[in-house]
Amino acid sequence: MALRTARTAREPVPPAPARLPLGFLTPIVLGTMLNALNSSMLAVALLSIQEAFDAGAAVVWLVSGLYLATAVAQPTMGRLADAFGARRIFGIGLLLVLASAAAAPFAPTLGWLIAARVVLGIGTSAAYPAGMSMIRQRADAHPAGGSAPAGGLGAISAASQAAVAFGPPLGGLLVQLVDWRAIFWVNVPLALTALTMALVWLPADDAARRARVTLRELDLPGMALFTGELCGLMLFLLSLPDHPRWWALAAFVVLTAALVWRELRAHRPFVDLRMIARNRPLAATYVRCMATYVVFYSITYALPQWLQQGRGLSEAESGLVMLPMAGLGVVTTMWATRLVGRGLRAVLVTGSAALCVGSAALALFGSSVPLWQILVIAAVLGLPNGFNSLGNQTLMYRTAPADQIGTASGLLRTSQYIGANLASALVGIAVGRQAGDSGLHLLAAVITGISLVLLLNAALTRHLRGTADHG
């Protein structure tokens, strides 16, 4: 025992992961918030926009257009960040945000507004994969190698969770005080601040690395097939449940087959299917992330709709009811950041268990439920957000190849927005256009079942063993 103790004492202690300077981390955090903020802020403004343009069901494309653009653009921006430099792509994305946010309030028709939202989705898609690429490059230069800087990843996760949860109350307040145009204008000062900080504090890209990249290495055919595949899937999901676009489903199947054939033969594939097939933890992380966000966005979509139509609350009031989700989402992310050091299993089990409780609690909602009880349940629904988001993000960071971290990060966000579109279809089927108690209870039953599967997966999956990290 003494010999073992002495030998253990002489073993070198592995260096702690890199701690990211505040000046380096702040613009990345601010940039990544924009996508989440614009995803959720619109939820309470749809009715106002529908009235302003005298539009019908087509107004839903303001939500779906951004999600579709984001699902396609996230891995594309990540691939471009890996190829041409993360700081450059980060800045280009912010410029697109500025242009679309400034133009959207002056849109003459709903079609032009949808187009502005699509450009906004493309612009906000650059920050996360480019930011993760810059974080990985900085960590690789540290003595700890590529160990995940838990504090930095936790800050990004907390900021995104706060943006998603604070989006509805902020959007409701802006609509109430100004009008729907304010939810676009608010992006201008945020994007300008992030861009200025990026130019001042983020390190310049490696010019030699950019010079080696060719168009052939970008795999433009792979990008095009991936874009078409996702468009087909999203168009089909968004047509449910009323008028399914079966042609879109057929296009998805055909383009998926073409993408697989192409990527297995490409010199440097846009979607490295062989790597993903060999890297089961990474593939499982994508699936787990998608399922988690089916539950999360089902709640995010259905609850404000039920509060406005089932309880008669205004946009601002329904947004304020969602506020407890914001506070607890941020707090639990900070808690989860400390728990990561004990292993990712603990983080994901805790998050999935809380998701089960919160989803099941939706079954208690009814028109006669006192508002204070709704606020309590909304607070419970905020508990799992930080754990699940940070757990999946950290696992992706640890399992993705270092030279493909931008693309891998983009694919993680793509899986998130596929989950968002699945949630949109699920809410449409369960709740319908007029949210009532029975529809909400049906939705609660479905997402509780999904949460139970996530809990079993987190508890039983082998690759979550031994995933503790320092710091």
Side-chain angles (χ1 to χ4, degrees), residues 95-118:
L95 289 175
L96 289 175
V97 172
L98 284 170
S100 57
F106 302 102
T109 65
L110 181 64
W112 282 104
L113 188 61
I114 292 171
R117 282 276 293 182
V118 169

Side-chain angles (χ1 to χ4, degrees), residues 169-204:
L170 176 61
L173 184 63
L174 291 172
V175 171
Q176 197 86 6
L177 296 179
V178 188
D179 61 20
W180 62 267
R181 295 171 180 83
I183 68 171
F184 292 96
W185 281 327
V186 74
N187 288 282
V188 174
L190 295 175
L192 276 175
T193 302
L195 183 59
T196 303
M197 289 179 174
L199 293 174
V200 174
W201 288 329
L202 294 182

Side-chain angles (χ1 to χ4, degrees), residues 366-379:
S367 301
S368 59
V369 172
L371 188 59
W372 70 266
Q373 291 185 17
I374 297 175
L375 289 169
V376 170
I377 295 176

Side-chain angles (χ1 to χ4, degrees), residues 46-262:
L46 285 175
L47 294 179
S48 297
I49 295 174
Q50 191 174 33
E51 293 174 1
F53 287 96
D54 193 22
V59 74
V60 74
W61 278 100
L62 288 169
V63 176
S64 305
L66 183 134
Y67 285 154
L68 180 57
T70 300
V72 172
Q74 288 274 0
T76 303
M77 288 295 191
R79 179 70 183 92
L80 294 174
D82 290 337
F84 293 109
R87 183 173 178 261
R88 172 179 289 186
I89 299 303
F90 186 88
I92 290 173
L94 290 173
L95 289 175
L96 289 175
V97 172
L98 284 170
S100 57
F106 302 102
T109 65
L110 181 64
W112 282 104
L113 188 61
I114 292 171
R117 282 276 293 182
V118 169
V119 176
L120 185 66
I122 295 171
T124 57
S125 295
Y128 179 74
M132 292 296 286
S133 182
M134 287 185 280
I135 289 172
R136 184 58 181 262
Q137 290 171 26
R138 190 178 186 94
D140 285 344
H142 189 267
S147 297
L153 298 185
I156 292 174
S157 179
S160 296
Q161 291 300 318
V164 169
F166 276 112
L170 176 61
L173 184 63
L174 291 172
V175 171
Q176 197 86 6
L177 296 179
V178 188
D179 61 20
W180 62 267
R181 295 171 180 83
I183 68 171
F184 292 96
W185 281 327
V186 74
N187 288 282
V188 174
L190 295 175
L192 276 175
T193 302
L195 183 59
T196 303
M197 289 179 174
L199 293 174
V200 174
W201 288 329
L202 294 182
D205 296 320
D206 183 359
R209 179 184 179 186
R210 294 199 306 268
R212 291 195 298 267
V213 176
T214 64
L215 286 177
R216 181 169 178 263
E217 290 176 315
L218 284 180
D219 187 22
L220 296 180
M223 286 187 183
L225 287 170
F226 182 80
T227 301
E229 175 201 37
L230 280 185
C231 285
L233 176 62
M234 300 304 178
L235 286 171
F236 174 71
L237 292 175
L238 295 173
S239 67
L240 298 175
D242 296 330
H243 305 288
R245 295 187 179 97
W246 297 110
W247 61 266
L249 180 61
F252 164 71
V253 173
V254 172
L255 290 172
T256 298
L259 178 67
V260 171
W261 183 88
R262 161 71 194 183

